[in-house]
Amino acid sequence: MKKILPLIPLLFLTACSTQNLRGTGDMGLIIERAIGQVQLVEHSGNTSLATIKGLGDLSHASIVYSRDERYGYVFGRDGGLTKIDILEQKIVKRVMQSGNSIGGAISQDGKLIAVSNYKPGGVKIFNSDSLELVADIPAIYAEGKQSKTVGLIDAPGQIFAFGLYDAGEIWVVDMKDIKSPVITKFKDVGSLPYDGLVTPDGRYYIAGLFGEDGLAMLDLWHLEKGVTRIMNHYGKGKTKLPVYKMPHLEGWAKAGDKILLPAVGQHEVLVMDQNWKQVKAIPVHGQPIFVMSRPDHKQMWVNFAHPRNDTIQVIDTETLKIIKTLKPGKAVLHMEFSPRGEHVWMSVRDENRVDVVDTETFEVVKSLKADKPSGIFFTNRAHKIGL
């Protein structure tokens, strides 16, 4: 009996600690842009778990995750890079790395965090554990000229790629040797590259061009081929509309042999085939911002720029027809699918809420309060290229 009694407190403590164990695979962070905080949520029960404050200017913020899905790295508009511990629900470290930043990426091995900057223009790369600076790459393209950097993505092989908005260039940075980064520069790719995407296999980097029609495409497997122009005349003969918000190419969508992406300055979603040729333009409610594929690729969900940003439209990928128009409320800024696609979460900024919508019935199954919500980022992004 004397031997058994000392074990009882130990067993009790073990049981208690086991009850507190929790994975992060069904978690995510929502940007509450007006007050500089994020809301921690989980999509198994569609609940809010906590808020984490002190993240600065989040007016154009994005997040990437560590490969174990424990840490989120928040890129703030004020140049702040913040590492968040999701399990402990707190900020681990925060560094002010520039005066104005516009997103970032995490390397293939998860050891490097790259940040794209407007001011001063360039990319800075940090150790993901300590947030110590590893590489500083100013986007100097001519004597005395430094460009904003945009469309920063990660690709296999410890590669980062990004565009130089003011210079009309694309740079590719190979970080296999962190002491000696290899930078390959592609000039004259087109006027004002404003955003970029990478195909899900990590092979093709595509930059949207705001200053002219078309897209600039780079084969990351064969850099020696240089940049190819695709979709050069998708807007030919049409008067461009005022652009109130730039579309996000990272929200592009691929379904089977079709690729859908937003048109700039038109109320259209463009459809390309596998040869990067336009096969159709789908008329939609407004200027599309995100064209996002449900994980099974059966549907594409589209949101729109101001002043028509109270609407979501759903496109069937087999027929390429709109099958549903939703009116969630004022300023639907962002959408995020649960990993298997049964729900889509959408931020309704001016209604101060996030809706969870069933993607089959289109019914709202849950609404969560949020202060001016914008970006929604689930942790399963940790295992996707370019996100």
Side-chain angles (χ1 to χ4, degrees), residues 13-310:
L13 289 173
T14 302
C16 289
S17 62
T18 301
Q19 289 175 357
N20 292 329
L21 291 177
R22 198 204 197 285
T24 59
D26 66 345
M27 290 187 179
L29 294 168
I30 298 173
I31 300 293
E32 294 185 292
R33 57 185 292 158
I35 54 177
Q37 71 180 27
V38 293
Q39 188 171 157
L40 176 63
V41 297
E42 55 83 26
H43 53 70
S44 291
N46 301 325
T47 63
S48 176
L49 302 175
T51 56
I52 302 167
K53 302 178 180 181
L55 281 82
D57 183 355
L58 299 182
S59 57
H60 191 290
S62 60
I63 301 172
V64 298
Y65 291 100
S66 59
R67 63 193 302 161
D68 63 1
E69 302 183 18
R70 177 166 181 175
Y71 299 101
Y73 300 87
V74 184
F75 308 100
R77 193 57 187 262
D78 57 3
L81 168 61
T82 309
K83 181 178 181 179
I84 290 176
D85 187 323
I86 294 172
L87 288 179
E88 294 192 356
Q89 303 175 2
K90 68 178 185 180
I91 292 174
V92 176
K93 190 170 183 178
R94 175 172 164 80
V95 296
M96 297 300 296
Q97 55 84 44
S98 78
N100 189 333
S101 60
I102 193 72
I106 188 167
S107 62
Q108 184 178 31
D109 66 2
K111 295 180 180 180
L112 301 173
I113 301 292
V115 190
S116 180
N117 293 315
Y118 273 10
K119 183 181 180 180
V123 168
K124 290 184 179 180
I125 302 174
F126 299 84
N127 178 293
S128 63
D129 183 39
S130 64
L131 296 192
E132 293 179 358
L133 185 66
V134 170
D136 187 355
I137 305 169
I140 298 172
Y141 62 97
E143 187 174 351
K145 294 184 177 181
Q146 194 162 343
S147 174
K148 302 180 183 73
T149 54
V150 294
L152 174 64
I153 59 92
D154 60 274
Q158 293 295 94
I159 284 174
F160 296 108
F162 55 91
L164 276 64
Y165 180 81
D166 305 293
E169 299 182 10
I170 294 173
W171 290 10
V172 177
V173 181
D174 187 328
M175 289 296 298
K176 291 186 186 70
D177 183 352
I178 62 173
K179 295 181 179 179
S180 301
V182 177
I183 304 172
T184 307
K185 302 177 181 179
F186 300 88
K187 300 180 181 294
D188 302 317
V189 304
S191 177
L192 305 179
Y194 70 90
D195 198 6
L197 64 88
V198 63
T199 52
D201 59 6
R203 177 168 182 176
Y204 295 101
Y205 178 78
I206 301 174
L209 303 174
F210 186 63
E212 58 187 283
D213 293 336
L215 305 165
M217 184 175 74
L218 182 63
D219 186 341
L220 297 176
W221 292 6
H222 297 284
L223 295 181
E224 71 278 2
K225 293 181 179 180
V227 172
T228 303
R229 290 294 296 273
I230 60 176
M231 300 280 286
N232 272 348
H233 302 294
Y234 73 78
K236 191 174 183 179
K238 296 182 180 180
T239 302
K240 282 196 172 182
L241 301 168
V243 177
Y244 295 101
K245 182 173 174 60
M246 302 294 278
H248 283 262
L249 286 187
E250 286 186 2
W252 80 311
K254 188 175 188 297
D257 60 353
K258 304 181 189 78
I259 299 165
L260 283 77
L261 71 163
V264 178
Q266 300 294 336
H267 291 185
E268 293 178 340
V269 169
L270 307 177
V271 184
M272 292 188 293
D273 62 19
Q274 294 185 90
N275 297 314
W276 310 103
K277 303 292 185 183
Q278 182 178 339
V279 296
K280 189 178 179 66
I282 303 171
V284 290
H285 168 77
Q287 293 181 47
I289 298 297
F290 286 101
V291 180
M292 299 184 66
S293 174
R294 197 171 74 174
D296 63 358
H297 305 306
K298 192 173 186 293
Q299 298 174 351
M300 302 292 180
W301 289 58
V302 187
N303 72 332
F304 302 97
H306 173 84
R308 299 189 174 195
N309 58 7
D310 65 341

